[in-house]
Amino acid sequence: DEEMFDAYTRLILEVIRGRQATFVRDDELKAAWAIFTPLLHRIEAERIKPIPYDFGGRGPPESDQLLKSRGYYQYHGGTYTGRGKRMSM
């Protein structure tokens, strides 16, 4: 029998065991904040409202329209193709 742990217990065990795959490095975290902080400030300053979509769905139709306007189109299964590139979502 394997005991099931909650999320925080799992993270603490990962730290104790020296496994770092679950965590980001400090430079990755700083880069993420450098990207998202200005975006979050803009959302707050301009009071930008999120576009609603159905729970469990892929997202709002506007996201597909944005990708299509940038030259990507979606295959079933979540792989976007276009402009010689392939992105898995």
Side-chain angles (χ1 to χ4, degrees), residues 23-62:
F23 306 94
V24 297
R25 295 188 325 254
D26 64 337
D27 59 329
E28 291 176 292
L29 185 59
K30 287 176 186 175
W33 278 113
I35 293 167
F36 284 103
T37 298
L39 176 63
L40 294 171
H41 287 166
R42 182 175 174 199
I43 289 170
E44 186 175 277
E46 297 178 21
R47 298 178 187 227
I48 298 170
K49 301 270 189 237
I51 301 169
Y53 60 93
D54 292 335
F55 176 79
R58 289 185 46 257
E62 290 85 348

Side-chain angles (χ1 to χ4, degrees), residues 5-89:
F5 298 104
D6 69 11
Y8 290 112
T9 304
R10 285 181 183 270
L11 287 174
I12 292 168
L13 284 172
E14 293 295 305
V15 170
I16 292 169
R17 293 176 179 155
R19 297 183 186 154
Q20 298 176 359
T22 310
F23 306 94
V24 297
R25 295 188 325 254
D26 64 337
D27 59 329
E28 291 176 292
L29 185 59
K30 287 176 186 175
W33 278 113
I35 293 167
F36 284 103
T37 298
L39 176 63
L40 294 171
H41 287 166
R42 182 175 174 199
I43 289 170
E44 186 175 277
E46 297 178 21
R47 298 178 187 227
I48 298 170
K49 301 270 189 237
I51 301 169
Y53 60 93
D54 292 335
F55 176 79
R58 289 185 46 257
E62 290 85 348
S63 63
D64 288 329
Q65 294 166 4
L66 174 65
L67 287 169
K68 188 175 181 180
S69 74
R70 301 294 193 271
Y72 294 93
Y73 55 94
Q74 192 225 1
Y75 281 110
H76 296 284
T79 300
Y80 291 89
T81 305
R83 295 190 180 176
K85 298 178 184 175
R86 200 173 176 101
M87 304 184 316
S88 292
M89 298 294 200

